[in-house]
Amino acid sequence: MNKSISGLVVFIFIVMITACSQKNADYTFSGEISGLKEGTKLELVPAATHNEEEPVASAIVSNGKFEFSGKLEEPRLYYLQVADQLGVLKIMLENSEISLKAKAVFQESNNRTFVDFSDVQVSGSNANDLYMEKLAFKSKFGALHEKYYKDHDAILVAVRNAKSKAIADSLRNTDDYKAFAQAEKDFFTSLEKTSNEAILANKDSWWGPLVMLESMSYFTDEQIPLYEQFSETAKNSYYGQLVKKELYPERVVGKQAPEFTLADREGKTFNSLELMEGKKYILIDFWASWCGPCRREIPNLKHMYELYASKGLQIISISKDEDRAAWLKALDKEKMAWPNLLNKNDIDDLYFVKMIPAIFLVDASTGKVMDDKLRGEGLDQKLKELFQ
């Protein structure tokens, strides 16, 4: 055989072997985290999904070390966490040998333990290095956010501790508070601009959707034009599909309102179909005690109830609170006169609730959902039309 041909055959063989080994490459993720006890269980949880995810892998700390292994179709972002504890460490994994060194400190807050990870050093993951580079602006804005709040701490404390709404309103009219409001407006304007630039700088790959997921806590229709600038490759990626699902979610509008049976604070159960009997329209309101916009919507719901309850309006509030005590405290303060139930068995998932407040308008005569995007003045106007 000609030597040049022989050499070519060997070269092709080596390339094929290398390609195969890369395609089937596994990852190993190992390391040491000081501060963890022997036998501590660590978990990997998918990150940047905008959903509560279950762990996909676990490892036990032995002799001060841990190791995960597996295979990935493409780099993925994960939370590394101590089982049953709050506090996470983010890391991008890829099919390579990745090592980690970090420090863990356990702290107590509100009768719960959480883990603070610090002095984090990651090697062996180019994707993790790129992630830190592409999302570096978040740290910058985190510091700016902390600074302008600190600069205006005195007026914010005064407003928070005001003994009446009138006093709070008068404080909000001061130059100090107006300066805070302007600083906050400037902050979010700058953050939006910088985030959008970072997203579009990566619009041709899965990095774009990932940066989008990491830059924003939730999406609204305002982000659709941003998503539509992604390449088809980006849209079809794992993170691209997550963004699409959130921007174009499944909806129950036009469909039968899913039936549910839930309990109130006294343990009395209510069935949704029974609550619709004899009514014309139903508002199903998903909320939580910790949700500021939800609490601000309650006075409007009370007003609607006063106007239309006698004409056939029923309101059903379903709380997503996991802290029962916080829910009961909110109920005592808000004093809502309609059935107030606690979410169980993922009833919110049946309605495809992604963010709260989420209010569903149901035609009681058909049991079908008419709308799921009505709030404030829009809700007021719609009910006015229906009950005229």
mmCIF file of all heavy atoms in Angstrom, residues 50-52 218 245-246 249-252 258 284-288 290 294 318-320 343 346-360 372:
data_model
loop_
_atom_site.group_PDB
_atom_site.id
_atom_site.type_symbol
_atom_site.label_atom_id
_atom_site.label_comp_id
_atom_site.label_asym_id
_atom_site.label_seq_id
_atom_site.Cartn_x
_atom_site.Cartn_y
_atom_site.Cartn_z
ATOM 1 N N HIS A 50 -37.410 27.992 35.495
ATOM 2 C CA HIS A 50 -38.548 28.766 36.005
ATOM 3 C C HIS A 50 -39.607 27.854 36.613
ATOM 4 O O HIS A 50 -40.770 28.239 36.722
ATOM 5 C CB HIS A 50 -39.161 29.652 34.916
ATOM 6 C CG HIS A 50 -38.351 30.859 34.587
ATOM 7 N ND1 HIS A 50 -38.827 31.910 33.846
ATOM 8 C CD2 HIS A 50 -37.068 31.204 34.918
ATOM 9 C CE1 HIS A 50 -37.895 32.843 33.715
ATOM 10 N NE2 HIS A 50 -36.811 32.431 34.355
ATOM 11 N N ASN A 51 -39.210 26.659 36.996
ATOM 12 C CA ASN A 51 -40.111 25.711 37.647
ATOM 13 C C ASN A 51 -39.402 25.082 38.842
ATOM 14 O O ASN A 51 -38.174 25.103 38.926
ATOM 15 C CB ASN A 51 -40.544 24.597 36.684
ATOM 16 C CG ASN A 51 -41.490 25.089 35.619
ATOM 17 O OD1 ASN A 51 -42.522 25.680 35.912
ATOM 18 N ND2 ASN A 51 -41.143 24.852 34.367
ATOM 19 N N GLU A 52 -40.182 24.535 39.749
ATOM 20 C CA GLU A 52 -39.605 23.771 40.847
ATOM 21 C C GLU A 52 -39.281 22.375 40.325
ATOM 22 O O GLU A 52 -40.172 21.641 39.915
ATOM 23 C CB GLU A 52 -40.580 23.695 42.024
ATOM 24 C CG GLU A 52 -40.840 25.032 42.697
ATOM 25 C CD GLU A 52 -41.744 24.910 43.904
ATOM 26 O OE1 GLU A 52 -42.022 23.757 44.313
ATOM 27 O OE2 GLU A 52 -42.176 25.944 44.427
ATOM 28 N N TYR A 218 -39.664 35.985 35.353
ATOM 29 C CA TYR A 218 -40.852 35.500 34.653
ATOM 30 C C TYR A 218 -40.980 36.283 33.343
ATOM 31 O O TYR A 218 -40.359 37.344 33.169
ATOM 32 C CB TYR A 218 -42.120 35.658 35.496
ATOM 33 C CG TYR A 218 -42.407 37.080 35.919
ATOM 34 C CD1 TYR A 218 -43.132 37.940 35.093
ATOM 35 C CD2 TYR A 218 -41.956 37.571 37.147
ATOM 36 C CE1 TYR A 218 -43.392 39.242 35.460
ATOM 37 C CE2 TYR A 218 -42.206 38.886 37.532
ATOM 38 C CZ TYR A 218 -42.934 39.715 36.680
ATOM 39 O OH TYR A 218 -43.183 41.019 37.052
ATOM 40 N N LYS A 245 -42.342 27.649 25.803
ATOM 41 C CA LYS A 245 -43.445 27.111 26.592
ATOM 42 C C LYS A 245 -43.985 28.152 27.564
ATOM 43 O O LYS A 245 -45.188 28.199 27.850
ATOM 44 C CB LYS A 245 -42.979 25.866 27.359
ATOM 45 C CG LYS A 245 -44.102 25.134 28.087
ATOM 46 C CD LYS A 245 -43.590 23.864 28.722
ATOM 47 C CE LYS A 245 -44.718 23.123 29.436
ATOM 48 N NZ LYS A 245 -44.251 21.852 30.064
ATOM 49 N N GLU A 246 -43.091 29.003 28.065
ATOM 50 C CA GLU A 246 -43.522 30.027 29.015
ATOM 51 C C GLU A 246 -44.162 31.224 28.316
ATOM 52 O O GLU A 246 -45.103 31.826 28.827
ATOM 53 C CB GLU A 246 -42.325 30.486 29.855
ATOM 54 C CG GLU A 246 -42.715 31.265 31.083
ATOM 55 C CD GLU A 246 -41.586 31.387 32.086
ATOM 56 O OE1 GLU A 246 -40.626 30.596 32.018
ATOM 57 O OE2 GLU A 246 -41.657 32.292 32.924
ATOM 58 N N PRO A 249 -47.824 29.699 26.573
ATOM 59 C CA PRO A 249 -48.249 28.600 27.445
ATOM 60 C C PRO A 249 -49.577 27.985 27.015
ATOM 61 O O PRO A 249 -50.376 28.601 26.304
ATOM 62 C CB PRO A 249 -48.407 29.291 28.808
ATOM 63 C CG PRO A 249 -48.823 30.683 28.444
ATOM 64 C CD PRO A 249 -48.031 31.007 27.217
ATOM 65 N N GLU A 250 -49.770 26.761 27.461
ATOM 66 C CA GLU A 250 -51.084 26.155 27.306
ATOM 67 C C GLU A 250 -52.052 26.961 28.157
ATOM 68 O O GLU A 250 -51.713 27.426 29.245
ATOM 69 C CB GLU A 250 -51.059 24.698 27.767
ATOM 70 C CG GLU A 250 -50.258 23.771 26.889
ATOM 71 C CD GLU A 250 -50.419 22.327 27.319
ATOM 72 O OE1 GLU A 250 -51.526 21.774 27.124
ATOM 73 O OE2 GLU A 250 -49.455 21.769 27.838
ATOM 74 N N ARG A 251 -53.252 27.143 27.676
ATOM 75 C CA ARG A 251 -54.240 27.929 28.401
ATOM 76 C C ARG A 251 -55.558 27.170 28.466
ATOM 77 O O ARG A 251 -55.846 26.313 27.627
ATOM 78 C CB ARG A 251 -54.443 29.293 27.724
ATOM 79 C CG ARG A 251 -53.193 30.136 27.673
ATOM 80 C CD ARG A 251 -53.412 31.383 26.818
ATOM 81 N NE ARG A 251 -54.395 32.280 27.399
ATOM 82 C CZ ARG A 251 -54.908 33.330 26.753
ATOM 83 N NH1 ARG A 251 -54.547 33.578 25.503
ATOM 84 N NH2 ARG A 251 -55.793 34.116 27.341
ATOM 85 N N VAL A 252 -56.343 27.509 29.466
ATOM 86 C CA VAL A 252 -57.644 26.863 29.610
ATOM 87 C C VAL A 252 -58.763 27.729 29.045
ATOM 88 O O VAL A 252 -59.932 27.352 29.128
ATOM 89 C CB VAL A 252 -57.942 26.547 31.095
ATOM 90 C CG1 VAL A 252 -57.022 25.466 31.599
ATOM 91 C CG2 VAL A 252 -57.851 27.800 31.946
ATOM 92 N N PRO A 258 -61.187 23.296 34.937
ATOM 93 C CA PRO A 258 -60.921 22.052 35.659
ATOM 94 C C PRO A 258 -61.609 22.034 37.031
ATOM 95 O O PRO A 258 -61.552 23.019 37.771
ATOM 96 C CB PRO A 258 -59.394 22.062 35.816
ATOM 97 C CG PRO A 258 -58.912 22.878 34.654
ATOM 98 C CD PRO A 258 -59.941 23.950 34.495
ATOM 99 N N ILE A 284 -61.854 32.869 39.618
ATOM 100 C CA ILE A 284 -60.967 31.980 40.371
ATOM 101 C C ILE A 284 -59.621 32.687 40.468
ATOM 102 O O ILE A 284 -58.942 32.901 39.458
ATOM 103 C CB ILE A 284 -60.829 30.613 39.680
ATOM 104 C CG1 ILE A 284 -62.201 29.956 39.541
ATOM 105 C CG2 ILE A 284 -59.886 29.706 40.480
ATOM 106 C CD1 ILE A 284 -62.182 28.638 38.776
ATOM 107 N N ASP A 285 -59.261 33.062 41.669
ATOM 108 C CA ASP A 285 -58.084 33.907 41.911
ATOM 109 C C ASP A 285 -56.990 33.113 42.614
ATOM 110 O O ASP A 285 -57.139 32.706 43.773
ATOM 111 C CB ASP A 285 -58.501 35.103 42.780
ATOM 112 C CG ASP A 285 -57.325 35.871 43.336
ATOM 113 O OD1 ASP A 285 -56.362 36.088 42.573
ATOM 114 O OD2 ASP A 285 -57.367 36.253 44.527
ATOM 115 N N PHE A 286 -55.869 32.872 41.911
ATOM 116 C CA PHE A 286 -54.707 32.229 42.517
ATOM 117 C C PHE A 286 -53.790 33.327 43.064
ATOM 118 O O PHE A 286 -53.406 34.245 42.323
ATOM 119 C CB PHE A 286 -53.960 31.372 41.493
ATOM 120 C CG PHE A 286 -54.680 30.106 41.119
ATOM 121 C CD1 PHE A 286 -55.580 30.095 40.048
ATOM 122 C CD2 PHE A 286 -54.491 28.937 41.835
ATOM 123 C CE1 PHE A 286 -56.251 28.937 39.695
ATOM 124 C CE2 PHE A 286 -55.162 27.764 41.489
ATOM 125 C CZ PHE A 286 -56.038 27.770 40.416
ATOM 126 N N TRP A 287 -53.423 33.228 44.327
ATOM 127 C CA TRP A 287 -52.642 34.265 44.983
ATOM 128 C C TRP A 287 -51.762 33.644 46.060
ATOM 129 O O TRP A 287 -51.714 32.421 46.218
ATOM 130 C CB TRP A 287 -53.578 35.307 45.602
ATOM 131 C CG TRP A 287 -54.299 34.800 46.837
ATOM 132 C CD1 TRP A 287 -55.221 33.791 46.891
ATOM 133 C CD2 TRP A 287 -54.116 35.251 48.181
ATOM 134 N NE1 TRP A 287 -55.638 33.578 48.187
ATOM 135 C CE2 TRP A 287 -54.980 34.458 48.999
ATOM 136 C CE3 TRP A 287 -53.324 36.222 48.777
ATOM 137 C CZ2 TRP A 287 -55.058 34.648 50.379
ATOM 138 C CZ3 TRP A 287 -53.414 36.412 50.165
ATOM 139 C CH2 TRP A 287 -54.267 35.622 50.953
ATOM 140 N N ALA A 288 -51.060 34.470 46.823
ATOM 141 C CA ALA A 288 -50.269 34.013 47.979
ATOM 142 C C ALA A 288 -50.019 35.202 48.899
ATOM 143 O O ALA A 288 -49.992 36.356 48.447
ATOM 144 C CB ALA A 288 -48.940 33.403 47.536
ATOM 145 N N TRP A 290 -47.344 36.154 50.268
ATOM 146 C CA TRP A 290 -46.065 36.809 50.017
ATOM 147 C C TRP A 290 -46.022 37.556 48.688
ATOM 148 O O TRP A 290 -45.033 38.200 48.357
ATOM 149 C CB TRP A 290 -44.941 35.762 50.024
ATOM 150 C CG TRP A 290 -45.264 34.496 49.296
ATOM 151 C CD1 TRP A 290 -45.689 33.313 49.846
ATOM 152 C CD2 TRP A 290 -45.227 34.266 47.878
ATOM 153 N NE1 TRP A 290 -45.911 32.372 48.869
ATOM 154 C CE2 TRP A 290 -45.630 32.923 47.652
ATOM 155 C CE3 TRP A 290 -44.884 35.061 46.785
ATOM 156 C CZ2 TRP A 290 -45.702 32.371 46.378
ATOM 157 C CZ3 TRP A 290 -44.959 34.504 45.505
ATOM 158 C CH2 TRP A 290 -45.360 33.190 45.322
ATOM 159 N N CYS A 294 -50.501 40.422 44.251
ATOM 160 C CA CYS A 294 -51.734 39.715 44.631
ATOM 161 C C CYS A 294 -52.475 40.489 45.722
ATOM 162 O O CYS A 294 -53.695 40.683 45.649
ATOM 163 C CB CYS A 294 -51.409 38.323 45.163
ATOM 164 S SG CYS A 294 -50.559 37.236 44.017
ATOM 165 N N ILE A 318 -57.703 30.973 45.790
ATOM 166 C CA ILE A 318 -56.902 29.771 46.082
ATOM 167 C C ILE A 318 -55.480 30.203 46.360
ATOM 168 O O ILE A 318 -54.801 30.757 45.480
ATOM 169 C CB ILE A 318 -56.940 28.783 44.902
ATOM 170 C CG1 ILE A 318 -58.385 28.388 44.598
ATOM 171 C CG2 ILE A 318 -56.094 27.552 45.208
ATOM 172 C CD1 ILE A 318 -58.526 27.487 43.384
ATOM 173 N N SER A 319 -55.017 29.992 47.578
ATOM 174 C CA SER A 319 -53.676 30.420 47.960
ATOM 175 C C SER A 319 -52.636 29.356 47.647
ATOM 176 O O SER A 319 -52.854 28.164 47.882
ATOM 177 C CB SER A 319 -53.627 30.724 49.463
ATOM 178 O OG SER A 319 -52.299 30.946 49.880
ATOM 179 N N LYS A 320 -51.490 29.818 47.126
ATOM 180 C CA LYS A 320 -50.359 28.931 46.854
ATOM 181 C C LYS A 320 -49.385 28.897 48.030
ATOM 182 O O LYS A 320 -48.281 28.373 47.908
ATOM 183 C CB LYS A 320 -49.630 29.390 45.584
ATOM 184 C CG LYS A 320 -50.395 29.038 44.310
ATOM 185 C CD LYS A 320 -49.798 29.697 43.081
ATOM 186 C CE LYS A 320 -48.354 29.295 42.849
ATOM 187 N NZ LYS A 320 -48.194 27.847 42.536
ATOM 188 N N ASN A 343 -54.320 25.756 48.074
ATOM 189 C CA ASN A 343 -53.964 24.932 46.923
ATOM 190 C C ASN A 343 -53.375 23.583 47.357
ATOM 191 O O ASN A 343 -52.430 23.531 48.138
ATOM 192 C CB ASN A 343 -52.947 25.676 46.056
ATOM 193 C CG ASN A 343 -52.624 24.937 44.775
ATOM 194 O OD1 ASN A 343 -53.511 24.524 44.050
ATOM 195 N ND2 ASN A 343 -51.337 24.763 44.498
ATOM 196 N N ASP A 346 -51.745 20.191 43.317
ATOM 197 C CA ASP A 346 -51.332 20.923 42.106
ATOM 198 C C ASP A 346 -52.515 21.389 41.268
ATOM 199 O O ASP A 346 -52.487 21.308 40.034
ATOM 200 C CB ASP A 346 -50.407 20.049 41.260
ATOM 201 C CG ASP A 346 -49.130 19.663 41.996
ATOM 202 O OD1 ASP A 346 -48.622 20.515 42.748
ATOM 203 O OD2 ASP A 346 -48.656 18.536 41.825
ATOM 204 N N ILE A 347 -53.540 21.911 41.937
ATOM 205 C CA ILE A 347 -54.690 22.455 41.207
ATOM 206 C C ILE A 347 -54.243 23.589 40.295
ATOM 207 O O ILE A 347 -54.764 23.763 39.189
ATOM 208 C CB ILE A 347 -55.772 22.961 42.184
ATOM 209 C CG1 ILE A 347 -56.308 21.797 43.035
ATOM 210 C CG2 ILE A 347 -56.912 23.638 41.423
ATOM 211 C CD1 ILE A 347 -56.907 20.670 42.240
ATOM 212 N N ASP A 348 -53.245 24.367 40.742
ATOM 213 C CA ASP A 348 -52.754 25.474 39.918
ATOM 214 C C ASP A 348 -52.191 24.971 38.588
ATOM 215 O O ASP A 348 -52.278 25.661 37.571
ATOM 216 C CB ASP A 348 -51.708 26.295 40.669
ATOM 217 C CG ASP A 348 -50.554 25.441 41.185
ATOM 218 O OD1 ASP A 348 -50.767 24.259 41.499
ATOM 219 O OD2 ASP A 348 -49.435 25.958 41.274
ATOM 220 N N ASP A 349 -51.626 23.764 38.578
ATOM 221 C CA ASP A 349 -51.087 23.206 37.340
ATOM 222 C C ASP A 349 -52.205 22.898 36.338
ATOM 223 O O ASP A 349 -52.001 22.979 35.122
ATOM 224 C CB ASP A 349 -50.288 21.932 37.617
ATOM 225 C CG ASP A 349 -48.957 22.220 38.296
ATOM 226 O OD1 ASP A 349 -48.519 23.386 38.274
ATOM 227 O OD2 ASP A 349 -48.357 21.287 38.855
ATOM 228 N N LEU A 350 -53.370 22.520 36.842
ATOM 229 C CA LEU A 350 -54.496 22.239 35.953
ATOM 230 C C LEU A 350 -54.913 23.491 35.187
ATOM 231 O O LEU A 350 -55.450 23.403 34.081
ATOM 232 C CB LEU A 350 -55.688 21.707 36.752
ATOM 233 C CG LEU A 350 -55.501 20.370 37.476
ATOM 234 C CD1 LEU A 350 -56.766 20.014 38.231
ATOM 235 C CD2 LEU A 350 -55.140 19.269 36.494
ATOM 236 N N TYR A 351 -54.641 24.651 35.809
ATOM 237 C CA TYR A 351 -54.977 25.928 35.172
ATOM 238 C C TYR A 351 -53.757 26.557 34.493
ATOM 239 O O TYR A 351 -53.829 27.688 34.032
ATOM 240 C CB TYR A 351 -55.560 26.888 36.216
ATOM 241 C CG TYR A 351 -57.004 26.576 36.583
ATOM 242 C CD1 TYR A 351 -57.308 25.560 37.487
ATOM 243 C CD2 TYR A 351 -58.057 27.276 36.011
ATOM 244 C CE1 TYR A 351 -58.622 25.259 37.812
ATOM 245 C CE2 TYR A 351 -59.375 26.986 36.330
ATOM 246 C CZ TYR A 351 -59.647 25.976 37.231
ATOM 247 O OH TYR A 351 -60.960 25.685 37.540
ATOM 248 N N PHE A 352 -52.648 25.827 34.452
ATOM 249 C CA PHE A 352 -51.404 26.296 33.838
ATOM 250 C C PHE A 352 -50.945 27.632 34.428
ATOM 251 O O PHE A 352 -50.511 28.538 33.707
ATOM 252 C CB PHE A 352 -51.563 26.428 32.313
ATOM 253 C CG PHE A 352 -52.001 25.162 31.646
ATOM 254 C CD1 PHE A 352 -53.273 25.050 31.098
ATOM 255 C CD2 PHE A 352 -51.164 24.061 31.597
ATOM 256 C CE1 PHE A 352 -53.694 23.871 30.505
ATOM 257 C CE2 PHE A 352 -51.565 22.875 30.991
ATOM 258 C CZ PHE A 352 -52.833 22.782 30.447
ATOM 259 N N VAL A 353 -51.039 27.755 35.753
ATOM 260 C CA VAL A 353 -50.618 28.980 36.428
ATOM 261 C C VAL A 353 -49.097 29.025 36.472
ATOM 262 O O VAL A 353 -48.454 28.133 37.029
ATOM 263 C CB VAL A 353 -51.188 29.048 37.859
ATOM 264 C CG1 VAL A 353 -50.617 30.253 38.597
ATOM 265 C CG2 VAL A 353 -52.702 29.119 37.818
ATOM 266 N N LYS A 354 -48.509 30.062 35.887
ATOM 267 C CA LYS A 354 -47.060 30.236 35.887
ATOM 268 C C LYS A 354 -46.633 31.358 36.821
ATOM 269 O O LYS A 354 -45.532 31.354 37.357
ATOM 270 C CB LYS A 354 -46.561 30.521 34.469
ATOM 271 C CG LYS A 354 -46.678 29.333 33.528
ATOM 272 C CD LYS A 354 -45.800 28.184 33.988
ATOM 273 C CE LYS A 354 -45.853 27.005 33.039
ATOM 274 N NZ LYS A 354 -45.047 25.862 33.528
ATOM 275 N N MET A 355 -47.493 32.358 36.965
ATOM 276 C CA MET A 355 -47.185 33.471 37.845
ATOM 277 C C MET A 355 -48.484 33.974 38.467
ATOM 278 O O MET A 355 -49.571 33.752 37.928
ATOM 279 C CB MET A 355 -46.484 34.603 37.083
ATOM 280 C CG MET A 355 -47.238 35.101 35.866
ATOM 281 S SD MET A 355 -46.362 36.373 34.947
ATOM 282 C CE MET A 355 -46.537 37.754 36.066
ATOM 283 N N ILE A 356 -48.361 34.590 39.622
ATOM 284 C CA ILE A 356 -49.546 35.100 40.316
ATOM 285 C C ILE A 356 -49.401 36.603 40.531
ATOM 286 O O ILE A 356 -48.278 37.115 40.569
ATOM 287 C CB ILE A 356 -49.761 34.358 41.658
ATOM 288 C CG1 ILE A 356 -48.488 34.368 42.506
ATOM 289 C CG2 ILE A 356 -50.249 32.950 41.397
ATOM 290 C CD1 ILE A 356 -48.657 33.743 43.883
ATOM 291 N N PRO A 357 -50.538 37.329 40.638
ATOM 292 C CA PRO A 357 -51.895 36.803 40.654
ATOM 293 C C PRO A 357 -52.324 36.280 39.285
ATOM 294 O O PRO A 357 -51.940 36.819 38.258
ATOM 295 C CB PRO A 357 -52.731 38.024 41.055
ATOM 296 C CG PRO A 357 -51.933 39.193 40.583
ATOM 297 C CD PRO A 357 -50.499 38.800 40.785
ATOM 298 N N ALA A 358 -53.119 35.236 39.313
ATOM 299 C CA ALA A 358 -53.702 34.667 38.095
ATOM 300 C C ALA A 358 -55.201 34.557 38.333
ATOM 301 O O ALA A 358 -55.640 33.827 39.223
ATOM 302 C CB ALA A 358 -53.094 33.302 37.797
ATOM 303 N N ILE A 359 -55.974 35.308 37.561
ATOM 304 C CA ILE A 359 -57.421 35.373 37.765
ATOM 305 C C ILE A 359 -58.124 34.824 36.528
ATOM 306 O O ILE A 359 -57.888 35.287 35.409
ATOM 307 C CB ILE A 359 -57.870 36.819 38.043
ATOM 308 C CG1 ILE A 359 -57.177 37.348 39.306
ATOM 309 C CG2 ILE A 359 -59.390 36.889 38.216
ATOM 310 C CD1 ILE A 359 -57.451 38.809 39.583
ATOM 311 N N PHE A 360 -58.996 33.839 36.738
ATOM 312 C CA PHE A 360 -59.719 33.192 35.652
ATOM 313 C C PHE A 360 -61.199 33.554 35.741
ATOM 314 O O PHE A 360 -61.822 33.373 36.796
ATOM 315 C CB PHE A 360 -59.545 31.673 35.722
ATOM 316 C CG PHE A 360 -58.109 31.232 35.557
ATOM 317 C CD1 PHE A 360 -57.234 31.257 36.631
ATOM 318 C CD2 PHE A 360 -57.639 30.821 34.322
ATOM 319 C CE1 PHE A 360 -55.913 30.871 36.485
ATOM 320 C CE2 PHE A 360 -56.313 30.428 34.166
ATOM 321 C CZ PHE A 360 -55.445 30.463 35.249
ATOM 322 N N ASP A 372 -58.185 34.793 31.109
ATOM 323 C CA ASP A 372 -57.231 34.520 32.184
ATOM 324 C C ASP A 372 -56.212 35.647 32.342
ATOM 325 O O ASP A 372 -55.184 35.474 32.990
ATOM 326 C CB ASP A 372 -56.501 33.198 31.939
ATOM 327 C CG ASP A 372 -55.688 33.195 30.643
ATOM 328 O OD1 ASP A 372 -55.736 34.207 29.911
ATOM 329 O OD2 ASP A 372 -55.007 32.196 30.367
#
